[in-house]
Amino acid sequence: MAVNAIMKYGSPVLREKAVPVAVVGEAVRTLVSDMLASMYAENGVGLAAEQIGRTEAVCVIDVPAEQACGVKMPLALINPQIVEAEGEQVGQEGCLSFPDVYVNVRRAERVKASYLDTDGHPQTVDATGLLSRAIQHEIDHLNGVLLVDHMSPVQKVANAGKLKRMKRGV
Ligand code: NI
C-alpha cells in the first residue's frame, strides 16, 4: 500500500480519458489499495486514478455510513458507467485536485451505476445524495472532466486567484 501525491489542477493527466481495465487482477487490486491509502491520507471521500497519475478506469469512494445508501464502504468501482440518472440536487462540492475550492454544483439526485468489483464481478450501485454526487464526480474524472468545468462564470471569477496559483504549481 503506497500513499501517492495527489495531482493538482493543471496536471495534464487530469484531462486524460481513462482506459477501461481489461483484466481485473493483482495489479488493479494494488492500484485500488494505493488509491484508498492516498485518499485517506488527504481525508477525501473519493479519488479517481488520474489523481495519482494513472489512467486506468478506476475510482474509489468512502462516504460516511449514514450517507452510504446501505452500500458497504469503501467502494472501488472499476470501469464504472452511469446507467440511470434522475432528479436534481445542488450542493457544495470539493476535490482533492482543487485544494480549498468548494462550489455549489448541480448533479442528478439519484444515479445507478454499473461497474466491476475487485474480483472482476459485474455489480450495480443505486445511490442518492452524497454517494450519488461522489459517483458522478469520480466518473467525471475518468472522462477528464473536472470541478472547474462545472463552475459558473461567477464561480470562476470568485476562484480565479486559487485556480491560477494551482496551474502555476504554487
Ligand atoms: Ni475530484
Side-chain angles (χ1 to χ4, degrees):
M1 212 163 59
V3 172
N4 296 269
I6 306 290
M7 301 287 151
K8 301 301 189 307
Y9 177 54
S11 304
V13 67
L14 293 177
R15 288 300 189 184
E16 283 188 36
K17 240 177 133 34
V19 179
V21 172
V23 178
V24 178
E26 276 316 303
V28 175
R29 285 188 280 274
T30 300
L31 174 62
V32 164
S33 65
D34 289 354
M35 286 172 62
L36 285 169
S38 305
M39 177 181 79
Y40 292 136
E42 299 289 334
N43 299 311
V45 298
L47 193 77
E50 283 97 333
Q51 291 180 280
I52 59 164
R54 301 278 292 258
T55 55
E56 292 93 333
V58 176
C59 60
V60 294
I61 291 172
D62 195 343
V63 297
E66 62 273 19
Q67 291 172 286
C69 307
V71 178
K72 189 174 176 290
M73 294 290 127
L75 185 59
L77 305 158
I78 300 165
N79 302 345
Q81 301 277 353
I82 291 174
V83 294
E84 284 175 28
E86 63 179 30
E88 190 178 288
Q89 58 170 317
V90 179
Q92 210 174 55
E93 208 167 299
C95 177
L96 292 178
S97 296
F98 290 81
D100 300 323
V101 172
Y102 298 93
V103 288
N104 279 331
V105 176
R106 189 180 304 274
R107 297 284 187 186
E109 167 55 23
R110 175 187 156 262
V111 293
K112 184 174 175 183
S114 65
Y115 65 99
L116 299 177
D117 65 19
T118 52
D119 293 319
H121 297 136
Q123 305 284 355
T124 59
V125 57
D126 210 315
T128 58
L130 178 64
L131 180 58
S132 169
R133 175 176 295 280
I135 290 169
Q136 292 171 75
H137 179 110
E138 299 315 330
I139 291 178
D140 267 2
H141 272 296
L142 298 179
N143 289 312
V145 174
L146 301 173
L147 189 61
V148 67
D149 305 322
H150 287 280
M151 288 186 192
S152 68
V154 170
Q155 288 172 329
K156 275 187 194 158
V157 169
N159 289 286
K162 286 177 186 170
L163 294 173
K164 201 180 272 180
R165 283 193 292 278
M166 270 176 236
K167 274 202 149 174
R168 286 206 312 257
V170 295

